[in-house]
Amino acid sequence: MPLAQNPLSVEVELPREDVALITVDGYLDVDTATEFQAHLANQLHHGRRHFLLDLSSVPFMDSSGMNIILRVYQETRKTEGSVHVISPTPAVRRILDLTGVSITVPISESLDEALTRVDEGPEHPEEPGGQSV
C-alpha cells in the first residue's frame, strides 16, 4: 500500500561518460529500495564509476536506502570511483549524519560541487574537512 501512496521516481542523466547523476523523488524505503538499487546496478553494469545521488526530493529514507548507498559506495571503491550525495533534505541529512554515512559518503550542496569533488579524486574519510557543512 505505501508504494501506491508514495511512488518513487528515479531519473538517470550522464553529465560525463563515467558519471551517473541519479535524481530520486519520493520515499526511499523498504517498499521502493529495489527500484533504486536496479537503477544503480544498471549504471554499474554500463561502466559508470562515479555516482551523484540527488536526494533533494526525498522526504524520508530508511535503512534500506542507506544500505543501498553504502553498497554502491563499496562497489565504486573497487574501480577507484566515488559516490556523492547532493542536497539531501533535512530529514535525510539527519539520518546520514546520525548513522555516520555522511562521514564515508561526501555530501555536496550542488551538482557543480559534486563534479568538482569527482575531479579532485578520492575522499579520505579519516582526514578532517572531507564534507561540506
Side-chain angles (χ1 to χ4, degrees), residues 66 70 94-105 131:
M66 284 188 313
L70 289 173
R94 180 173 156 80
I95 295 296
L96 295 172
D97 288 344
L98 286 172
T99 59
V101 173
S102 61
I103 294 170
T104 304
V105 178
Q131 60 180 291

Side-chain angles (χ1 to χ4, degrees), residues 19-91:
V19 177
L21 170 61
I22 314 288
T23 303
V24 184
D25 185 358
Y27 284 62
L28 187 49
D29 58 21
V30 69
D31 293 321
T32 60
T34 304
E35 180 181 350
F36 180 51
Q37 184 173 7
H39 284 280
L40 294 172
N42 184 43
Q43 293 306 310
L44 279 167
H45 176 76
H46 283 93
R48 310 293 177 246
R49 293 183 21 222
H50 302 284
F51 289 79
L52 311 180
L53 308 177
D54 183 341
L55 303 183
S56 62
S57 296
V58 177
F60 174 81
M61 180 175 70
D62 69 7
S63 61
S64 303
M66 284 188 313
N67 286 334
I68 292 169
I69 291 171
L70 289 173
R71 272 190 251 144
V72 76
Y73 171 80
Q74 290 172 339
E75 288 297 316
T76 61
R77 299 295 285 175
K78 295 176 186 176
T79 61
E80 297 183 16
S82 62
V83 175
H84 303 267
V85 172
I86 300 173
S87 299
T89 57

